[in-house]
Amino acid sequence: MLIALDVDGTVLLEDETLSPGVVDAVAHAQAAGHEVMLATGRSWEGTRGVLRVLGLAPEYVVCSNGAAIMRRIDGDEVRYERFHTETFDPTEVLRLIHDNVTDAHYMVELADGQRLYTKPMGDWNLAQARRVPFAELSAHPVSRVVVVSPGQTEQDFVDLVHRIGLNQVSYAIGWTAWLDIAPMGVDKASALEMVRGWLGIDPAQVLVIGDGRNDLGMFRWALDHGGRAVAMAQGPDEVRDAAGETTLSVGDGGVAAVLRRL
């Protein structure tokens, strides 16, 4: 099987500690011959350390909500290259949001993985990122735009998206006032479908596990092709409703509970 795991809220708790039993369960799944990989909204910089602590070295890693796919380079040590990247012109999206959100933190990811941001956030991994003026964010095509507005709620961002319209891009809204914008038609599902094809795995032999709205696309993708989609118990109602199954919460070892039964 191809097993794709979300990171935050799925294998990692909010304090970045591991979900109970997940390392042993991942090892169990790999020993059984399954391809276990990550499909995350995180950039590569924020993902590779998670691979190490999980003991994973999959052939591919889906990052940035599907806008970047990393491929393992075989050699004396495990290394990855940026194998596939999707980009778009963020100028109009940035203008629309900036005109409607008075106080926000912005970050963009360029095609080569470099990240530019306007103001730091405490939970952002800013390793090798560069602070720039807002105008510089749209100087080049980007793989993603991240907007965080601490003074607003999740519902504020839902209302904002409906009000301004984001018709030429894909987007996901987080549990807080967090918005992640990708090229049109690009999400975890679109990237995983490419990975599945490259690996030659039957569409029905797919298992995806996640907890957030940015996992809805990969849930639909897996279920539409006869695979399995599992939501974490602490996820929003719409996420749990979209999945074929629900497991325990991340704090109670939900991923381990699923993988041990394989």
Side-chain angles (χ1 to χ4, degrees):
M1 295 181 69
L2 174 62
I3 302 171
L5 307 176
D6 172 50
V7 172
D8 296 287
T10 301
V11 300
L12 291 185
L13 281 69
E14 191 172 348
D15 63 0
E16 301 254 320
T17 58
L18 287 164
S19 179
V22 69
V23 173
D24 288 343
V26 164
H28 165 77
Q30 292 185 107
H34 304 300
E35 176 73 2
V36 184
M37 62 175 292
L38 299 180
T40 177
R42 290 184 174 215
S43 67
W44 172 240
E45 288 296 332
T47 303
R48 55 186 176 183
V50 182
L51 289 174
R52 285 196 295 271
V53 297
L54 289 174
L56 276 177
E59 189 163 348
Y60 298 98
V61 182
V62 171
C63 298
S64 305
N65 281 326
I69 302 175
M70 308 298 295
R71 183 175 66 172
R72 189 183 68 229
I73 303 172
D74 292 324
D76 294 337
E77 60 181 24
V78 176
R79 294 186 298 118
Y80 283 83
E81 64 177 351
R82 190 167 292 266
F83 183 64
H84 180 87
T85 305
E86 303 275 2
T87 62
F88 69 106
D89 181 350
T91 305
E92 181 63 13
V93 165
L94 286 168
R95 183 192 66 77
L96 279 170
I97 297 173
H98 194 259
D99 287 350
N100 285 273
V101 181
T102 56
D103 183 27
H105 301 243
Y106 296 86
M107 179 185 287
V108 300
E109 183 175 325
L110 305 184
D112 62 359
Q114 181 183 181
R115 289 166 299 141
L116 311 177
Y117 67 95
T118 56
K119 292 186 289 186
M121 286 286 292
D123 57 353
W124 279 357
N125 178 341
L126 297 176
Q128 300 183 32
R130 182 164 58 91
R131 188 169 184 173
V132 299
F134 177 81
E136 192 172 330
L137 297 177
S138 56
H140 304 282
V142 305
S143 293
R144 69 193 300 207
V145 173
V146 179
V147 185
V148 178
S149 182
Q152 294 187 290
T153 66
E154 171 192 358
Q155 188 59 47
D156 289 333
F157 262 29
V158 171
D159 295 341
L160 170 69
V161 166
H162 287 300
R163 186 170 69 251
I164 67 177
L166 290 178
N167 301 319
Q168 302 303 314
V169 294
S170 299
Y171 65 88
I173 298 171
W175 288 10
T176 56
W178 167 86
L179 180 63
D180 202 309
I181 303 167
M184 173 60 82
V186 173
D187 62 5
K188 292 183 182 183
S190 62
L192 285 170
E193 175 58 20
M194 284 189 278
V195 169
R196 184 203 62 75
W198 296 333
L199 294 175
I201 293 175
D202 188 284
Q205 297 301 310
V206 167
L207 166 63
V208 298
I209 310 178
D211 75 309
R213 291 186 180 87
N214 62 334
D215 297 315
L216 292 173
M218 74 173 184
F219 284 3
R220 288 191 295 269
W221 167 74
L223 293 173
D224 286 349
H225 292 87
R228 294 175 61 191
V230 182
M232 308 298 290
Q234 83 281 352
D237 289 346
E238 67 182 282
V239 174
R240 287 184 281 113
D241 290 345
E245 310 166 46
T246 299
T247 186
L248 301 170
S249 71
V250 61
D252 291 331
V255 169
V258 174
L259 297 186
R260 285 196 198 102
R261 292 196 295 265
L262 295 178

